[in-house]
Amino acid sequence: CHDDVSKPDEMGNWVCQCIAPFHGMDEVGGVAQCSINECDEVCASCEKLSDDEEPLCEHHGQACHDPDEGTLSDWQCVCMAPLTGEAATTAVAECMLDECEATCGTCAMDVCSGAGQTCEDADQRPEHVNGWVCKCPAPSTNTHARGPVERCATDECEDDAVGSVCRDSTPPQVCVDVDPMALGNWECHCAPPAAGLQAGAPAAQCDEWDECVAICPTCADTGNGDGSVCTAAGQACADPDPAVHGDWACECMHPATGAQQGAPVAPAQCLLDECRVACNTCADTGSGVNLCEAEEQVCVEGETHAGATGDWVCQCPAPLDFVSARAALATCGFDECEEVAGLPGVPSVGGRVCADAGQDCHDASPGTLGDFTCECRAPEHGAHAGAPATCTVNECDVSDNRKTCTDEGQECRDPDVATDGDWQCVCVAPARGNGHARPAVCETNECEDGSVGAVCAGAAPPQLCVDDGLQTDGDWVCACAPPTTAVNGTGVNGPATCLLDECEAVCGTCEGDACTAAGQTCEDPATDFHSTGDWVCKCAPPSPDTSVQGPVLRCGHSECDDAGGDAVCAGEGQTCYDGDRHVVGDYECQCPPPTTAVEGTGTGGPATCERDECKEVTACRAAGQRCVDPNKAPESVGDWECACVFPAVAVGGNGMGAPAECSMKGECAHAVNSEVCTAAGQTCVDPDIEADGDWMCQCMRPAAGDSTQGAAAECLIDECAVDCATCAGSACRAREQACVDEDQGVSPASLGNWQCRCVAPATGVAVGEPARCTVDECDLYGSTCAAMNQRCVDDDLAADGDWACVCPPPATGAQTGGAAACTVDECVTDGGVCEAAGQACHDPDHAAASTGDWECRCPPPSTQAAVGGVATCSVDECTLYGAACTAAEQTCVDENPMGDGGWYCVCHAPVVGREEGGPADCALDECTEAVGGAPGADVCGAGQTCEDGRQGAGDRGDFVCTCEAPATGSAVGERARCTHDECSDPAAAEVCTEQEQECIDHDWTSAGDWQCRCLAPAEGVPATGMPATCLEDECAGTGRAVCEAAGQVCEDAYPTQGSRDDWTCVCSVQSGATGSAVMMPADCTPPPSSECRVPAIEAVCIGAEQVCVDRDLTVTGDWECHCLEPAAGTALMGPARCVLDECTEQCAGCAGATCSSEGQACEDPDVSAASRGDWTCVCAPPASGIEVAHQA
């Protein structure tokens, strides 16, 4: 609402105005008619709710339309061309793109209709473009994407008149249109399993098929997925008459026999006795000789069904035992320990020989003669091949002997079972010791227990484990390694508390008598082994001086610290001061403040003290008067006086304890003048009483200075030159020091700040008292030390004559007042090398010139040492424990002299054996030792191994020779007879198996006679040591049947055993076709012939002296007549019109270059091929002339 308030007298002129974004004409006195285009404005009902928002329709590629600006919420999103779709109110429209109807860059437009085809767009979503296709008119169903179908095809078999020709035949057949793009080429095909076809008519013999090749309910392959029944059984299939169904049969493959014919479908029952027939896996491989019978053995077939091959065995004739292998000769023999009757020439004494000796007989290899073994019966031990054994008894098997040891927790051992009475009781590890025929006295070094030794070794610092009582448990201790020592009572069954007193020990950082040589004592304040290099030398009393890691160069003490000086001064109530600790009798007694000593008193005894009260009071000076103390005795107090300063005169005498009354003369008598001076602490002086204006202020003593006339003076006081309460007096002079007063003002702040300064070469300064002067004597005498490459040291600058020359590290030594005699303990610098190895360092000669002679010494009990490096420490434990070996008649050997453990007792040859930490169990290995002959290993020889299972000292002649793999066989006490199936060697077997052949070794005792033999159905002669030549013609079985059933020929180009599944069916010559197929019938359909071979067609072109050409043999009606060169021209299905321009073509009689070479033009008025020789040369203007068929 709006009212024009500028016109208050006009009533009724208010108007209603539309509020933005609405718009409309104002209405006076009533509501305006407001409207809004909701597509252009921003409002709650508009397309845009805010200025920052993108319009909804535009965002989706659509246009916004408001059909009624007076109505709210009626705006619409409208599809934009070429999209179409219903407009949506206040929402996005569903737009589609029909590329068949619309006009756009990807649309079909008239592409399909122009080819007589229809357009179809199956998916009209806008995002799916280029999806339209052209469709052929019915009945053709061909389509083509984004373009017309080039040729629309029609399946002629869909025409019922054509399809019924095949469908209604007997039996019914299938109609096939070979090329839907052409007409008249449909065929009738026999329905499976029959094969055959006929173009344009029913095929013949559709009720005949080879049941061995086809798939049908009565065929060998019924179509159940298992394939042919015969093939699955490894048999051949034969169908004698394709016209008769159910007459096929499965036939066994050679050499098996048997057949099964007719339904129900089943394979034949094939039998194969490999002992009776000849085959690759048979006992007779085709040579006519049975392997078993040739060696007088019996051939026994395992299973006779044809699938079980190679399971026959050769068996030994009775009474021999046998060890048979499949498809190989048996190994025949007998157990020599058993009685064998009726076998001439074969000994049978093994059992009796052993039994007569009361021993057991054992024959480990029945196939080998003379290898039986006689074995002793328990508790005796021993064995021997071919003869009774020498039996021995282990004395520890006797219960009383064994009990003697076990009752003490010990083991019983018999080192030589051939010797009586030598059994021993042996301590159980880790204990050591043995007793001959009695319990041993056992000793145990508890430190050899790893867990115990680790306690000491892991301590800080690492310690040594010591067990002095080897027969007592729990007495081991940890001992500190030098140079450390243990605290008493520590280290038992645990780490010790180790200390390092560098004053007592010998080490690289230790004192080594340095203090003692200087008449001083050594003290190590911290004896913890971590704390090194902290020992000190201490001076003899009463000097308290100390020095770290070396002697004190000059010992001294303060006389005020003993009963002498301090007592003398204290007795007088005075304090003691000793300015030089190295000088005797120079102490001073100092008076207590505020008294001072009378000059010349107090040195070496009590001082004479006085008290000058004028040094304390300021009342006189303040009044411009001088102070006088008539009695300076300390007890005389309060008797000071103020006296007038000339030219003033005291009225009534000096003032007692207060300023005096002074009478001034001349101009100073005037108070105005005198007060100028008094106010400045000065006195007024009038040098000429008679003259006016010459009065002046004069400084009060001890200050000095005159003022200019009529004013206060500039007063100065040199406290070093005058005597006053704050002045130096003789304080500096008495010490032979210089006094300096740099601030000579008279104010209290400038008083008492004088200095005593030491006179060169001494240095030092002090304010208000004598200085403590020091002199660095090295500045005077340092060249003496430098000349010897030594260092000058002045420890007490206040003392004279105490400078010294000190040797540079690592040398030690010092000399007061001159060059030192230096010594070098190399263990100070190099001792860490030894200490890191747990060894002690020793330097035998400390002279500075003696270097490189330090050595590392091993800790006890080792005694080794090494110069300039770590020593190799060793302890021969055989010196400690060797008696245990000697008692067992064995030798002690310490293989680890560098550490604990590692010592052994070793048996004496020929017996062998060793045991760590105690006597060994000695044994005799006849394979390596020669006892009464050659070692067993030499007896066995090459290709055999020797093993002595019983190595007791009395076990002789029982070593066993065993053939090395892959050979087998063994013998006791002699070389074995070895047998070996060479076909078990992978290298030999692989030669045969790689060629799919089998390996056969007829004689296991001979080498190099193995053979490769062909496996059925392949055939060939066996070959020794190499593959046989095996042939397998696959056309002899299934292949031939498959090909012949199709009227084709089977060919196997590679009839070798390794080349399978490569047979082919080849079209017969009679079929007129060429072709082949591997393992199946070939496609022998005759090839299509050229229409130009039809005489009537060929005559059309030949009659016109043209050539007939058929470009596509699969299409009819496309033959053409082609003109002969150089004429050109073709025509479909008729003579062509041949053209020959004699001016441009090259031919006999053509113009060629005749005209052009003369600059003339060539013209051929008749270019038909029949018009020859009519070309002309034409003169170029303005020339004229013409000549036919030659140059004009």
Side-chain angles (χ1 to χ4, degrees):
C1 180
H2 176 68
D3 189 5
D4 188 355
V5 296
S6 64
K7 300 176 181 180
D9 296 335
E10 295 182 10
M11 303 299 291
N13 61 349
W14 57 272
V15 296
C16 284
Q17 296 178 337
C18 296
I19 300 173
F22 292 85
H23 54 84
M25 296 297 294
D26 295 350
E27 183 67 31
V28 178
V31 178
Q33 297 298 318
C34 299
S35 63
I36 183 173
N37 188 323
E38 294 174 290
C39 290
D40 296 336
E41 303 294 343
V42 176
C43 66
S45 65
C46 293
E47 180 191 15
K48 287 180 60 176
L49 301 179
S50 67
D51 290 328
D52 297 333
E53 184 178 6
E54 183 181 2
L56 178 64
C57 301
E58 180 181 341
H59 177 71
H60 289 86
Q62 301 178 16
C64 181
H65 173 63
D66 190 352
D68 184 357
E69 295 186 359
T71 303
L72 297 180
S73 299
D74 64 338
W75 58 273
Q76 298 175 331
C77 284
V78 180
C79 298
M80 299 179 67
L83 304 182
T84 59
E86 293 292 333
T89 302
T90 68
V92 178
E94 291 292 337
C95 299
M96 307 300 286
L97 174 61
D98 187 345
E99 293 180 285
C100 290
E101 299 294 336
T103 300
C104 64
T106 63
C107 293
M109 292 184 282
D110 297 331
V111 171
C112 299
S113 59
Q117 301 173 19
T118 58
C119 179
E120 181 177 295
D121 188 358
D123 189 344
Q124 298 181 7
R125 290 174 296 171
E127 63 272 15
H128 187 270
V129 296
N130 286 321
W132 57 274
V133 298
C134 290
K135 296 180 64 176
C136 292
S140 176
T141 59
N142 297 102
T143 63
H144 189 273
R146 299 184 302 280
V149 180
E150 184 176 354
R151 295 178 67 183
C152 295
T154 301
D155 189 343
E156 295 179 278
C157 290
E158 294 180 0
D159 184 350
D160 187 64
V162 174
S164 61
V165 173
C166 304
R167 187 170 57 250
D168 296 341
S169 63
T170 304
Q173 300 178 22
V174 178
C175 181
V176 177
D177 189 350
V178 178
D179 184 4
M181 307 302 295
L183 299 177
N185 60 348
W186 59 275
E187 300 172 344
C188 287
H189 288 218
C190 297
L197 58 91
Q198 179 64 45
Q205 298 179 337
C206 285
D207 57 351
E208 297 182 9
W209 56 84
D210 188 339
E211 294 176 289
C212 288
V213 177
I215 299 175
C216 68
T218 62
C219 295
D221 185 352
T222 60
N224 60 1
D226 294 334
S228 171
V229 173
C230 302
T231 303
Q235 301 173 16
C237 179
D239 186 0
D241 187 353
V244 178
H245 299 161
D247 63 339
W248 59 273
C250 289
E251 298 178 348
C252 298
M253 302 290 286
H254 177 79
T257 59
Q260 176 68 39
Q261 184 171 359
V265 174
Q269 297 296 322
C270 301
L271 303 177
L272 176 61
D273 186 345
E274 294 175 290
C275 288
R276 297 290 175 263
V277 298
C279 67
N280 288 334
T281 62
C282 297
D284 180 358
T285 59
S287 62
V289 178
N290 186 290
L291 178 64
C292 301
E293 295 172 356
E295 298 295 330
E296 297 183 357
Q297 297 182 15
V298 179
C299 181
V300 178
E301 173 64 280
E303 297 183 27
T304 57
H305 66 81
T309 59
D311 60 341
W312 56 273
V313 297
C314 292
Q315 293 183 351
C316 302
L320 297 178
D321 297 329
F322 65 90
V323 179
S324 298
R326 287 168 56 94
L329 284 172
T331 301
C332 300
F334 65 96
D335 190 336
E336 294 177 276
C337 291
E338 296 182 1
E339 293 290 341
V340 180
L343 194 60
V346 178
S348 57
V349 297
R352 288 198 305 274
V353 169
C354 299
D356 290 346
Q359 300 175 14
D360 295 327
C361 182
H362 176 67
D363 189 357
S365 179
T368 305
L369 300 181
D371 64 339
F372 69 92
T373 303
C374 290
E375 298 179 348
C376 300
R377 295 172 180 169
E380 296 180 317
H381 302 281
H384 196 280
T390 300
C391 299
T392 60
V393 177
N394 188 328
E395 293 178 283
C396 287
D397 291 340
V398 178
S399 60
D400 290 343
N401 297 347
R402 185 170 58 254
K403 188 173 185 300
T404 300
C405 301
T406 56
D407 285 350
E408 297 297 326
Q410 301 175 13
E411 297 178 354
C412 183
R413 295 182 183 176
D414 188 356
D416 187 356
V417 295
T419 304
D420 294 334
D422 64 339
W423 62 276
Q424 303 172 349
C425 288
V426 180
C427 300
V428 178
R432 302 188 182 97
N434 54 42
H436 292 278
R438 60 182 174 79
V441 177
C442 297
E443 296 181 344
T444 302
N445 188 337
E446 296 177 278
C447 290
E448 293 180 358
D449 183 342
S451 59
V452 172
V455 172
C456 300
Q463 302 172 22
L464 305 175
C465 183
V466 179
D467 186 2
D468 291 329
L470 299 179
Q471 298 180 18
T472 304
D473 293 335
D475 62 339
W476 60 274
V477 298
C478 289
C480 297
T484 61
T485 57
V487 176
N488 290 336
T490 65
V492 178
N493 290 351
T497 301
C498 298
L499 302 179
L500 176 59
D501 188 339
E502 294 178 286
C503 292
E504 301 294 335
V506 177
C507 67
T509 62
C510 292
E511 177 253 351
D513 298 335
C515 300
T516 306
Q520 301 171 21
T521 58
C522 180
E523 181 176 299
D524 189 352
T527 56
D528 182 86
F529 69 92
H530 290 105
S531 178
T532 59
D534 57 346
W535 57 273
V536 296
C537 288
K538 299 182 64 175
C539 293
S543 176
D545 293 344
T546 62
S547 177
V548 179
Q549 286 190 319
V552 180
L553 295 179
R554 187 179 179 189
C555 296
H557 77 286
S558 173
E559 293 178 280
C560 293
D561 292 340
D562 55 23
D566 189 61
V568 170
C569 299
E572 296 297 328
Q574 300 174 14
T575 58
C576 183
Y577 169 73
D578 189 356
D580 189 347
R581 298 172 62 254
H582 298 97
V583 177
V584 179
D586 66 336
Y587 72 91
E588 297 176 358
C589 289
Q590 297 179 342
C591 298
T595 64
T596 59
V598 176
E599 186 173 354
T601 66
T603 300
T608 300
C609 300
E610 64 178 9
R611 181 177 182 182
D612 187 350
E613 292 181 281
C614 287
K615 295 181 178 180
E616 304 173 30
V617 299
T618 60
C620 299
R621 184 182 301 110
Q625 302 174 18
R626 60 184 179 86
C627 180
V628 178
D629 187 358
N631 187 357
K632 297 180 180 179
E635 63 273 9
S636 177
V637 180
D639 58 346
W640 57 276
E641 301 173 354
C642 288
C644 297
V645 179
F646 180 81
V649 178
V651 179
N654 293 340
M656 302 297 293
E661 181 181 353
C662 299
S663 173
M664 305 296 291
K665 293 180 179 181
E667 292 176 288
C668 289
H670 299 291
V672 176
N673 298 337
S674 62
E675 287 178 358
V676 172
C677 300
T678 303
Q682 302 172 15
T683 184
C684 183
V685 177
D686 187 359
D688 186 355
I689 298 176
E690 298 298 330
D692 291 334
D694 60 344
W695 65 272
M696 65 183 65
C697 292
Q698 192 175 61
C699 298
M700 297 288 294
R701 292 186 178 182
D706 293 331
S707 70
T708 57
Q709 187 174 350
E714 291 289 337
C715 298
L716 298 176
I717 180 169
D718 185 350
E719 293 178 286
C720 291
V722 298
D723 186 18
C724 66
T726 61
C727 290
S730 62
C732 300
R733 186 170 59 255
R735 297 289 194 278
E736 296 182 356
Q737 300 174 11
C739 182
V740 178
D741 187 3
E742 294 179 343
D743 183 2
Q744 298 182 6
V746 296
S747 66
S750 299
L751 298 178
N753 61 353
W754 51 272
Q755 298 176 348
C756 285
R757 294 184 178 180
C758 300
V759 179
T763 58
V765 64
V767 177
E769 63 180 6
R772 294 182 180 272
C773 296
T774 61
V775 177
D776 188 346
E777 294 176 287
C778 287
D779 293 340
L780 303 176
Y781 313 116
S783 60
T784 301
C785 303
M788 302 301 293
N789 195 29
Q790 298 176 13
R791 180 170 55 91
C792 183
V793 176
D794 188 358
D795 286 335
D796 190 350
L797 300 178
D800 295 333
D802 63 340
W803 65 275
C805 289
V806 180
C807 299
T812 59
Q815 179 63 48
T816 301
C822 298
T823 61
V824 177
D825 184 356
E826 293 180 282
C827 288
V828 174
T829 56
D830 302 317
V833 174
C834 305
E835 293 174 11
Q839 301 176 16
C841 181
H842 173 68
D843 188 356
D845 189 350
H846 289 186
S850 176
T851 59
D853 58 344
W854 62 276
E855 60 184 19
C856 291
R857 292 182 174 180
C858 298
S862 296
T863 59
Q864 288 82 2
V867 176
V870 176
T872 302
C873 305
S874 63
V875 177
D876 189 351
E877 292 178 286
C878 286
T879 61
L880 304 176
Y881 314 116
C885 302
T886 304
E889 298 181 352
Q890 299 174 17
T891 301
C892 181
V893 177
D894 188 356
E895 296 183 354
N896 182 26
M898 307 306 298
D900 294 335
W903 65 275
Y904 295 83
C905 288
V906 182
C907 300
H908 296 155
V911 294
V912 294
R914 52 187 274 146
E915 182 69 30
E916 183 176 7
D921 288 330
C922 298
L924 174 62
D925 188 347
E926 292 183 278
C927 289
T928 58
E929 302 297 331
V931 182
D938 294 344
V939 174
C940 298
Q944 300 187 18
T945 58
C946 180
E947 183 177 358
D948 191 358
R950 296 177 178 175
Q951 297 183 0
D955 294 328
R956 308 292 174 91
D958 60 345
F959 67 89
V960 178
C961 293
T962 304
C963 300
E964 293 181 347
T968 59
S970 63
V972 178
E974 62 182 6
R975 181 172 173 80
R977 180 174 179 267
C978 301
T979 61
H980 171 46
D981 181 359
E982 292 179 282
C983 288
S984 63
D985 183 356
E990 188 176 351
V991 173
C992 302
T993 56
E994 281 188 345
Q995 302 299 323
E996 299 185 9
Q997 301 175 19
E998 64 176 341
C999 183
I1000 301 294
D1001 187 2
H1002 295 295
D1003 186 354
W1004 287 10
T1005 61
S1006 301
D1009 62 339
W1010 57 275
Q1011 294 181 328
C1012 289
R1013 294 188 176 181
C1014 302
L1015 293 173
E1019 298 179 350
V1021 178
T1024 301
M1026 65 178 65
T1029 301
C1030 302
L1031 300 178
E1032 180 182 353
D1033 188 350
E1034 294 181 278
C1035 286
T1038 303
R1040 180 174 56 195
V1042 171
C1043 297
E1044 290 180 353
Q1048 300 174 18
V1049 179
C1050 180
E1051 293 182 359
D1052 188 356
Y1054 302 98
T1056 59
Q1057 188 177 14
S1059 176
R1060 292 199 179 94
D1061 296 335
D1062 61 345
W1063 56 272
T1064 59
C1065 289
V1066 182
C1067 297
S1068 64
V1069 177
Q1070 292 79 3
S1071 66
T1074 59
S1076 63
V1078 179
M1079 298 179 63
M1080 65 176 62
D1083 183 4
C1084 295
T1085 303
S1089 60
S1090 171
E1091 293 179 279
C1092 289
R1093 293 186 179 182
V1094 177
I1097 295 176
E1098 187 177 19
V1100 171
C1101 298
I1102 294 176
E1105 297 183 357
Q1106 298 176 14
V1107 178
C1108 181
V1109 177
D1110 189 355
R1111 296 185 181 276
D1112 188 348
L1113 301 181
T1114 63
V1115 178
T1116 59
D1118 63 339
W1119 58 273
E1120 298 173 342
C1121 287
H1122 286 215
C1123 299
L1124 296 175
E1125 293 183 351
T1130 61
L1132 180 64
M1133 299 177 66
R1137 179 179 179 275
C1138 299
V1139 174
L1140 176 60
D1141 187 342
E1142 295 178 280
C1143 287
T1144 58
E1145 299 296 335
Q1146 298 297 321
C1147 66
C1150 290
T1154 302
C1155 302
S1156 60
S1157 62
E1158 295 297 329
Q1160 300 178 15
C1162 181
E1163 293 181 0
D1164 187 357
D1166 186 356
V1167 294
S1168 63
S1171 176
R1172 304 292 288 272
D1174 58 345
W1175 56 273
T1176 61
C1177 288
V1178 181
C1179 296
S1184 62
I1186 189 167
E1187 184 69 31
V1188 178
H1190 60 81
Q1191 181 177 349

